[in-house]
Amino acid sequence: MIDLRTGKAGWTKELLRADPTPDTPVLLVHTAISGDTLAVAEGTGAAAYRVGDGVRLFGVPAEEPGRCRPDQVAGGSRLLVGSLCATGADRRRSHSGLRELDPRTGAVRGRHRTPAGRSVERVASVDPVVYTSVDNDRLTDDWRIVAPGPRGEVRRTIDPRPQGFEHCVHSGIDAGLQPCPGIVVGHGLVHVGGTDRAGAYDLASGKLLRGIRTHDGRTLTPVGFRAAPGTIAYESATPSRPGRTFVLDGGGAGGEEVLLRHPAAAGAEYGTGAGRVLRVGGRVVATPAHVSGDDARHQPRMVSFAPGPD
């Protein structure tokens, strides 16, 4: 743990495998925070620690019996643990599990499982729970948006592929349960972005309510909601034109309400590729999904825009 205000190091925990090779270092770790609980998944197990002092709160057991091993976590207002439930080497029989846990005690509040042959890939929202599902063989070529119900049943499944939407704005797979760039859930809607298009689905009916397209290859990324009705979206830059932040629900292409007109940033904004985009306190922050490590390339690490003076 590091104090972000001072940079001073706090507590430290060494993560060791529980099985199949005990006491060897963990190589791949996924983490999530819910309240004062830090959940850590390391591929063959998961545990929770108190953020304040690092005290271990509980471990997350395997289920069914022992076949569903926790391997990923998602946090926020709820704590979710994902599990890979393998049945031998046959991927068509394997599935995924999702458990909501009490972040203080580890008690299970709810369970959900995918059909055989499909897996949970990314969690777009923890309240309500909405995730993307992929086929175990075809992966993101066959993806869906799924909303479980209160008893773990499937409440709604949405197939965005006929409208040309890409899974989590082509961010790939195997990067943890969170985030899912380009998908924003709220006010009963699921907003989906992608290359040259964005749209809004009704979570109750699964129908596409509205959409917008550009014609110059820009990526449209929903980034949140504002107090007044409207979803805020980011339109990426091109080599010759800066990006912009606008209200997705404001009308057709060219007639939207623009919130931020980004100034030309000497190619830095375009260089991020809109890999990760966040909106916090009126600011828009864009970072690349990957950096090369080659300082000679002068690759931008982060670009931020804020409202200017009137």
mmCIF file of all heavy atoms in Angstrom, residues 32 39 72-75 78-82 98-101 123 125-126 129 177:
data_model
loop_
_atom_site.group_PDB
_atom_site.id
_atom_site.type_symbol
_atom_site.label_atom_id
_atom_site.label_comp_id
_atom_site.label_asym_id
_atom_site.label_seq_id
_atom_site.Cartn_x
_atom_site.Cartn_y
_atom_site.Cartn_z
ATOM 1 N N ALA A 32 -9.211 -5.688 -6.864
ATOM 2 C CA ALA A 32 -10.373 -4.803 -6.887
ATOM 3 C C ALA A 32 -10.641 -4.333 -5.468
ATOM 4 O O ALA A 32 -10.349 -5.049 -4.502
ATOM 5 C CB ALA A 32 -11.606 -5.518 -7.447
ATOM 6 N N ALA A 39 -9.715 -7.026 -2.669
ATOM 7 C CA ALA A 39 -9.792 -8.419 -3.091
ATOM 8 C C ALA A 39 -8.668 -8.702 -4.071
ATOM 9 O O ALA A 39 -8.387 -7.900 -4.966
ATOM 10 C CB ALA A 39 -11.142 -8.711 -3.737
ATOM 11 N N GLN A 72 -10.741 -14.153 -10.826
ATOM 12 C CA GLN A 72 -10.779 -12.730 -11.107
ATOM 13 C C GLN A 72 -11.742 -12.045 -10.145
ATOM 14 O O GLN A 72 -12.626 -12.690 -9.564
ATOM 15 C CB GLN A 72 -11.203 -12.473 -12.560
ATOM 16 C CG GLN A 72 -10.236 -13.032 -13.591
ATOM 17 C CD GLN A 72 -10.587 -12.584 -14.989
ATOM 18 O OE1 GLN A 72 -10.083 -11.577 -15.469
ATOM 19 N NE2 GLN A 72 -11.450 -13.336 -15.655
ATOM 20 N N VAL A 73 -11.583 -10.725 -9.999
ATOM 21 C CA VAL A 73 -12.415 -9.961 -9.066
ATOM 22 C C VAL A 73 -12.829 -8.642 -9.708
ATOM 23 O O VAL A 73 -12.152 -8.119 -10.591
ATOM 24 C CB VAL A 73 -11.667 -9.680 -7.739
ATOM 25 C CG1 VAL A 73 -11.518 -10.950 -6.920
ATOM 26 C CG2 VAL A 73 -10.302 -9.056 -7.996
ATOM 27 N N ALA A 74 -13.968 -8.117 -9.244
ATOM 28 C CA ALA A 74 -14.465 -6.814 -9.682
ATOM 29 C C ALA A 74 -14.995 -6.082 -8.461
ATOM 30 O O ALA A 74 -15.640 -6.688 -7.596
ATOM 31 C CB ALA A 74 -15.564 -6.966 -10.734
ATOM 32 N N GLY A 75 -14.730 -4.781 -8.376
ATOM 33 C CA GLY A 75 -15.110 -4.028 -7.188
ATOM 34 C C GLY A 75 -15.910 -2.793 -7.507
ATOM 35 O O GLY A 75 -16.316 -2.542 -8.638
ATOM 36 N N ARG A 78 -20.209 -2.998 -5.099
ATOM 37 C CA ARG A 78 -20.340 -4.418 -4.788
ATOM 38 C C ARG A 78 -19.016 -5.114 -5.060
ATOM 39 O O ARG A 78 -18.188 -4.627 -5.842
ATOM 40 C CB ARG A 78 -21.437 -5.069 -5.637
ATOM 41 C CG ARG A 78 -22.845 -4.592 -5.337
ATOM 42 C CD ARG A 78 -23.842 -5.279 -6.252
ATOM 43 N NE ARG A 78 -25.223 -4.961 -5.933
ATOM 44 C CZ ARG A 78 -26.265 -5.437 -6.594
ATOM 45 N NH1 ARG A 78 -26.087 -6.267 -7.622
ATOM 46 N NH2 ARG A 78 -27.494 -5.109 -6.248
ATOM 47 N N LEU A 79 -18.829 -6.278 -4.436
ATOM 48 C CA LEU A 79 -17.634 -7.085 -4.656
ATOM 49 C C LEU A 79 -18.041 -8.369 -5.366
ATOM 50 O O LEU A 79 -18.855 -9.145 -4.861
ATOM 51 C CB LEU A 79 -16.957 -7.428 -3.324
ATOM 52 C CG LEU A 79 -15.737 -8.367 -3.415
ATOM 53 C CD1 LEU A 79 -14.635 -7.750 -4.254
ATOM 54 C CD2 LEU A 79 -15.224 -8.704 -2.018
ATOM 55 N N LEU A 80 -17.497 -8.581 -6.566
ATOM 56 C CA LEU A 80 -17.789 -9.772 -7.350
ATOM 57 C C LEU A 80 -16.527 -10.598 -7.530
ATOM 58 O O LEU A 80 -15.431 -10.051 -7.700
ATOM 59 C CB LEU A 80 -18.337 -9.393 -8.733
ATOM 60 C CG LEU A 80 -19.594 -8.521 -8.795
ATOM 61 C CD1 LEU A 80 -19.975 -8.256 -10.249
ATOM 62 C CD2 LEU A 80 -20.739 -9.154 -8.037
ATOM 63 N N VAL A 81 -16.691 -11.903 -7.504
ATOM 64 C CA VAL A 81 -15.587 -12.833 -7.752
ATOM 65 C C VAL A 81 -15.982 -13.738 -8.908
ATOM 66 O O VAL A 81 -17.051 -14.365 -8.882
ATOM 67 C CB VAL A 81 -15.263 -13.668 -6.500
ATOM 68 C CG1 VAL A 81 -14.190 -14.709 -6.817
ATOM 69 C CG2 VAL A 81 -14.798 -12.777 -5.361
ATOM 70 N N GLY A 82 -15.153 -13.794 -9.922
ATOM 71 C CA GLY A 82 -15.388 -14.671 -11.054
ATOM 72 C C GLY A 82 -14.628 -15.960 -10.898
ATOM 73 O O GLY A 82 -13.534 -15.992 -10.320
ATOM 74 N N LEU A 98 -20.099 -16.375 -11.271
ATOM 75 C CA LEU A 98 -19.961 -15.079 -10.622
ATOM 76 C C LEU A 98 -20.594 -15.169 -9.241
ATOM 77 O O LEU A 98 -21.713 -15.676 -9.106
ATOM 78 C CB LEU A 98 -20.655 -13.971 -11.411
ATOM 79 C CG LEU A 98 -19.877 -13.218 -12.487
ATOM 80 C CD1 LEU A 98 -20.776 -12.152 -13.111
ATOM 81 C CD2 LEU A 98 -18.613 -12.577 -11.937
ATOM 82 N N ARG A 99 -19.867 -14.711 -8.224
ATOM 83 C CA ARG A 99 -20.413 -14.648 -6.879
ATOM 84 C C ARG A 99 -20.319 -13.222 -6.360
ATOM 85 O O ARG A 99 -19.282 -12.572 -6.504
ATOM 86 C CB ARG A 99 -19.622 -15.557 -5.930
ATOM 87 C CG ARG A 99 -20.005 -17.006 -5.955
ATOM 88 C CD ARG A 99 -19.118 -17.829 -5.028
ATOM 89 N NE ARG A 99 -17.825 -18.139 -5.636
ATOM 90 C CZ ARG A 99 -16.822 -18.745 -5.007
ATOM 91 N NH1 ARG A 99 -16.963 -19.075 -3.734
ATOM 92 N NH2 ARG A 99 -15.698 -19.013 -5.635
ATOM 93 N N GLU A 100 -21.408 -12.733 -5.766
ATOM 94 C CA GLU A 100 -21.328 -11.479 -5.024
ATOM 95 C C GLU A 100 -21.048 -11.813 -3.568
ATOM 96 O O GLU A 100 -21.753 -12.622 -2.960
ATOM 97 C CB GLU A 100 -22.620 -10.669 -5.121
ATOM 98 C CG GLU A 100 -22.500 -9.356 -4.353
ATOM 99 C CD GLU A 100 -23.794 -8.572 -4.245
ATOM 100 O OE1 GLU A 100 -24.786 -8.981 -4.885
ATOM 101 O OE2 GLU A 100 -23.823 -7.571 -3.498
ATOM 102 N N LEU A 101 -20.004 -11.201 -3.016
ATOM 103 C CA LEU A 101 -19.607 -11.465 -1.639
ATOM 104 C C LEU A 101 -19.809 -10.229 -0.776
ATOM 105 O O LEU A 101 -19.673 -9.092 -1.249
ATOM 106 C CB LEU A 101 -18.135 -11.876 -1.563
ATOM 107 C CG LEU A 101 -17.683 -13.085 -2.384
ATOM 108 C CD1 LEU A 101 -16.223 -13.386 -2.089
ATOM 109 C CD2 LEU A 101 -18.551 -14.298 -2.102
ATOM 110 N N VAL A 123 -16.746 -7.268 -16.656
ATOM 111 C CA VAL A 123 -17.876 -6.725 -15.909
ATOM 112 C C VAL A 123 -17.986 -5.248 -16.259
ATOM 113 O O VAL A 123 -17.064 -4.465 -16.022
ATOM 114 C CB VAL A 123 -17.694 -6.916 -14.397
ATOM 115 C CG1 VAL A 123 -18.751 -6.131 -13.622
ATOM 116 C CG2 VAL A 123 -17.778 -8.395 -14.032
ATOM 117 N N SER A 125 -20.687 -3.338 -15.180
ATOM 118 C CA SER A 125 -21.324 -2.669 -14.053
ATOM 119 C C SER A 125 -21.506 -3.684 -12.936
ATOM 120 O O SER A 125 -21.816 -4.843 -13.193
ATOM 121 C CB SER A 125 -22.682 -2.093 -14.483
ATOM 122 O OG SER A 125 -23.435 -1.663 -13.358
ATOM 123 N N VAL A 126 -21.314 -3.232 -11.683
ATOM 124 C CA VAL A 126 -21.565 -4.110 -10.542
ATOM 125 C C VAL A 126 -22.911 -3.833 -9.900
ATOM 126 O O VAL A 126 -23.394 -4.640 -9.111
ATOM 127 C CB VAL A 126 -20.435 -4.001 -9.483
ATOM 128 C CG1 VAL A 126 -19.105 -4.434 -10.062
ATOM 129 C CG2 VAL A 126 -20.347 -2.595 -8.895
ATOM 130 N N VAL A 129 -25.614 -5.645 -11.893
ATOM 131 C CA VAL A 129 -24.565 -6.475 -12.485
ATOM 132 C C VAL A 129 -24.842 -6.635 -13.979
ATOM 133 O O VAL A 129 -25.903 -7.097 -14.386
ATOM 134 C CB VAL A 129 -24.492 -7.851 -11.804
ATOM 135 C CG1 VAL A 129 -23.463 -8.733 -12.502
ATOM 136 C CG2 VAL A 129 -24.148 -7.695 -10.320
ATOM 137 N N LEU A 177 -11.432 -8.619 -14.976
ATOM 138 C CA LEU A 177 -12.866 -8.401 -15.100
ATOM 139 C C LEU A 177 -13.219 -6.938 -15.358
ATOM 140 O O LEU A 177 -14.247 -6.640 -15.944
ATOM 141 C CB LEU A 177 -13.582 -8.859 -13.827
ATOM 142 C CG LEU A 177 -13.843 -10.362 -13.667
ATOM 143 C CD1 LEU A 177 -14.601 -10.620 -12.373
ATOM 144 C CD2 LEU A 177 -14.610 -10.918 -14.848
#
